[in-house]
Amino acid sequence: MGNVERRRRAEAPQVQLSAEILLPQAKPARYTGGEWNARQKDWRAAEIHLALAYPDIYDVGMSNLGFQILYEIANDIPDVLCDRVYAPWVDMEEAMRRHGLPLYGLESRRPLAEFDIIGFQLPYELNMTNVLHMLDLAGLPLLSAQRDEGHPLVIAGGSGAYHPEPMADFIDAFAIGDGEEVLVEILDVYRAWRRRPHRFRLQLLEELARLEGVYVPAFYRPRYDSKGRYLGLQPVHPDAPERVCRRVVERLPLAPVRPVVPYISIVHDRAMVEIQRGCTQGCRFCQAGIIYRPVRERSVEEICRLAQELIDHTGYEELGLLSLSSADHSQIVEIIRRLKAQFADRPLSLSLPSLRVDSFSVELANMIQERRRSGLTFAPEAGSQRLRDVINKKVRAEDLFQATEAAFQSGWLRIKLYFMIGLPTETVEDVRAIGELVREVLDIGRRYAGRRAQVAVSAATFVPKPHTPFQWVPLVAEDTLAEHIAVLQDATRVKGVHLSWHAPITSLLEAALARGDRRLGQVIHRAWQLGAKFDAWEEQFRPAAWEQAFAENGLHPDDFARRPLDYADALPWDHIDAGVTKAFLWAEYQRALRGEILSDCREVCHGCGIRGRFHLLACPLLAEEPAAEGKPA
């Protein structure tokens, strides 16, 4: 950084928040910072100013463990100041624009445009317009090509970065995979680049492109045939690899033990320990089950130590044991027993956010909720055994009935069941089978709890996602989806059952963005200009803006969401190597069509490609900690 630029940045004035601005807001504390454990570092002393940006409101972003992990890692580097920024809700946006306030970091109160790097975490497709919303509020050019050496570097990571093409026009570089190590390397590259006497933005992008796991979209060009059919991505720079392999940390690094504690209620307001990363169940619709492979467990000792430090440093009275399938941890019983003994003299409750559909999960729930019996959630996903085999959900109706009977018998009064509709090969009979399952569960509940027994049914529309065996499957047709929703409503119309389902129009947009190519950048840009933002929020979703944006660009969401794909077709995310081979995913898709299930990879390795791609000595990577004497393993 030149002396003039360094002085300008050091002297950047703080954003002043007055009572006139804050008091009318629904939740002013979203915008004030200063929470417990928030890191305050000297702006002038820091060499690199990094703003971690979450494209949703504070209440959602503060619940994201990955965001907290990166915040702590970056702030532990002496010359790095890491701040946080979330998307202002519409009331605050209106106030900021009216008063001419730019978007700012919560800790430093410095304008976002004065930071060196802005790092977005992309959770999923319906947050994309919020990235533009935040860049615009910061007063920054939206397009990567319009930014120069005087602008912050804009990077992005998270699960949404595994299909970066729709956001390629707006992001300078994507970090693919586990972020703990690659973030530090990006900061090292940036620091070295900035210390050069003469610097050009192109040099920085070239250095980033040489990092494993970093994708620089400007160094690639998409190719299409005369009919607009996507043909693939062509590297146009010698530093751009044909494929970008994601980053994997073989052993989970130490987790944050001093997370920021909010002053207001957030979505998941509790201490969190990630007890394992990855999942071995192999559900064919699940993107997370693929992109977070291999399973890596934390040891019981490490979990208990982290839990102690977390509770000591936060004062939380609830501890979440997080993973995609917490009950699958090889030491889960020992973990719960040890934690209960460790905190026996404190009012600490434990929670397991993801339970399998079996009686073992109810036993675990009984262990952690001895008094409170608020509700239990299971996800059979499909109503018929045939369809559960198709999606590789290794659950039988008997498993669900035994689990729910154990739950009602233990005092629970409310069971919530998650299903998907529009799954590949789904028929009306499969949907009616959901009603049969639900009614049987309610009958079981009434045997133990009478009319106090309740069953909540949540039905999400299946959206095909990249890097899964169902990435070739089109979104269900609109008329079929409407018919299946009507059948589901009829099949679950009974007192004691409460049904909710997702709006089909948002599923269409999500699927189009999930399967689309770089042309969607123009659509996203235009939709945002027409007022689209917070697309995941029903009250803010503007379907007319998206319809106009697609039409003005000569495209239709069905072109992407409902186009059947074949193995030979070039996919817009083929250049991102998640570690699982395309051949394995296709074989899984074919097994799905034959209704064949694949066993849990803890039982046998199915050769998905992860082990060879990352040279792993073992997969899954278990804690391998012997159980304490006298305790079951």
Side-chain angles (χ1 to χ4, degrees), residues 554-577:
L555 300 169
H556 192 282
D558 280 355
D559 299 339
F560 305 97
R562 294 198 165 103
R563 179 188 158 207
L565 295 169
D566 193 69
Y567 185 73
D569 288 320
L571 304 177
W573 52 91
D574 273 348
H575 59 294
I576 302 298
D577 183 356

Side-chain angles (χ1 to χ4, degrees), residues 22 48 62 206 272 304 373:
L22 287 175
I48 301 177
M62 276 290 289
E206 289 172 341
M272 297 178 281
C304 291
R373 293 288 189 268

Side-chain angles (χ1 to χ4, degrees), residues 13-254:
Q14 290 181 297
V15 172
Q16 300 300 315
L17 297 173
S18 65
E20 182 185 1
I21 295 171
L22 287 175
L23 289 181
Q25 308 306 317
K27 294 184 178 180
R30 287 171 173 164
Y31 312 109
T32 56
E35 307 97 319
W36 187 257
N37 286 335
R39 302 283 287 269
Q40 293 287 351
K41 300 181 79 170
D42 186 343
W43 177 269
R44 292 171 180 265
E47 182 168 3
I48 301 177
H49 304 91
L50 164 66
L52 288 181
Y54 197 89
D56 209 322
I57 60 171
Y58 176 95
D59 318 39
V60 178
M62 276 290 289
S63 304
N64 187 283
L65 180 59
F67 200 77
Q68 296 268 15
I69 291 172
L70 298 182
Y71 177 76
E72 188 153 305
I73 288 174
N75 271 315
D76 283 346
I77 302 173
D79 67 348
V80 175
L81 178 152
C82 181
D83 210 329
R84 297 166 295 139
V85 59
Y86 307 92
W89 187 241
V90 290
D91 53 354
M92 185 59 172
E93 179 200 355
E94 190 277 329
M96 292 174 70
R97 292 192 188 279
R98 181 158 39 87
H99 290 271
L101 295 184
L103 192 58
Y104 56 90
L106 285 183
E107 270 74 78
S108 67
R109 296 275 181 90
R110 306 284 177 165
L112 211 58
E114 301 301 330
F115 283 77
D116 299 299
I117 304 174
I118 301 173
F120 281 97
Q121 178 131 356
L122 298 179
Y124 84 131
E125 294 80 5
L126 296 186
N127 295 108
M128 289 177 175
T129 50
N130 275 6
V131 174
L132 280 62
H133 168 56
M134 295 173 74
L135 290 175
D136 181 67
L137 273 174
L140 292 168
L142 303 186
L143 299 175
S144 172
Q146 294 176 342
R147 296 191 290 267
D148 59 24
E149 293 81 0
H151 293 116
L153 174 73
V154 178
I155 60 176
S159 56
Y162 278 81
H163 176 30
E165 287 311 287
M167 293 297 288
D169 292 343
F170 315 107
I171 304 296
D172 300 325
F174 291 89
I176 315 296
D178 297 332
E180 288 96 335
E181 294 175 348
V182 72
L183 175 63
V184 177
E185 294 171 18
I186 289 173
L187 292 170
D188 289 342
V189 164
Y190 187 89
R191 184 185 297 105
W193 171 78
R194 206 174 62 177
R195 289 176 179 175
R196 293 179 181 174
H198 304 289
R199 301 179 310 279
F200 300 97
R201 176 180 164 84
L202 178 61
Q203 295 170 327
L204 176 59
L205 297 181
E206 289 172 341
E207 294 288 340
L208 291 172
R210 295 185 192 115
L211 288 179
E212 185 178 357
V214 174
Y215 168 58
V216 178
F219 294 163
Y220 298 79
R221 291 289 178 271
R223 295 182 296 112
Y224 303 92
D225 67 13
S226 58
K227 296 180 180 178
R229 195 180 183 91
Y230 179 79
L231 296 179
L233 210 59
Q234 178 72 40
V236 293
H237 190 282
D239 289 324
E242 291 278 344
R243 302 189 76 205
V244 177
C245 183
R246 77 170 169 113
R247 296 293 294 268
V248 168
V249 290
E250 188 168 339
R251 295 288 176 188
L252 295 184
L254 288 178

Side-chain angles (χ1 to χ4, degrees), residues 251-262:
R251 295 288 176 188
L252 295 184
L254 288 178
V257 294
R258 294 178 182 269
V260 179
V261 181

Side-chain angles (χ1 to χ4, degrees), residues 4 135 153 183 188 258 310 338 396 452 484 506 513:
V4 174
L135 290 175
L153 174 73
L183 175 63
D188 289 342
R258 294 178 182 269
L310 264 170
R338 291 272 293 275
R396 299 168 302 153
R452 293 183 301 161
H484 287 196
T506 57
L513 295 174

Side-chain angles (χ1 to χ4, degrees), residues 410-431:
S410 300
W412 270 276
L413 299 176
R414 187 174 186 271
I415 300 293
K416 185 169 186 177
L417 302 177
Y418 280 115
F419 293 95
M420 286 187 290
I421 50 176
L423 284 161
T425 78
E426 182 180 86
T427 65
V428 167
E429 287 69 32
D430 295 315
V431 181

